[in-house]
Amino acid sequence: MADDMRDEYDFGQARANPYSHRLKKQVTIRLDVRTIDYFKAQATRTGMPYQSLINLYLADCASNERQLTLTWA
């Protein structure tokens, strides 16, 4: 342990993280292989991790309040 570490800390004056709304939450989601392959190919092309690309795409849908239209046969 470093010499400047205290045994106890007082967090009585601590404030909430102002960026907490930007934090990510881990979830489990099932995606088909074609979808994963698509985003992995995009990741290779862009140099960005595929999970980040999926998050960007879904975040764009959410921020623009895109509505999915489904038609059942």
Side-chain angles (χ1 to χ4, degrees):
M1 192 183 299
D3 292 332
D4 59 346
M5 295 290 294
R6 299 179 188 171
D7 289 334
E8 293 184 26
Y9 290 87
D10 179 14
F11 293 103
Q13 299 298 317
R15 62 187 177 108
N17 181 347
Y19 302 103
S20 63
H21 66 280
R22 294 185 182 174
L23 297 176
K24 294 181 179 178
K25 180 178 180 179
Q26 183 175 345
V27 297
T28 301
I29 184 171
R30 295 182 187 279
L31 303 172
D32 60 74
V33 174
R34 286 183 58 199
T35 301
I36 295 169
D37 289 345
Y38 171 81
F39 279 101
K40 283 186 175 182
Q42 296 300 312
T44 299
R45 189 177 63 76
T46 62
M48 181 181 279
Y50 78 97
Q51 292 158 321
S52 296
L53 289 173
I54 293 170
N55 185 65
L56 281 173
Y57 185 80
L58 294 175
D60 179 66
C61 290
S63 66
N64 290 299
E65 297 183 7
R66 287 192 169 81
Q67 298 294 315
L68 182 62
T69 304
L70 297 175
T71 312
W72 300 98

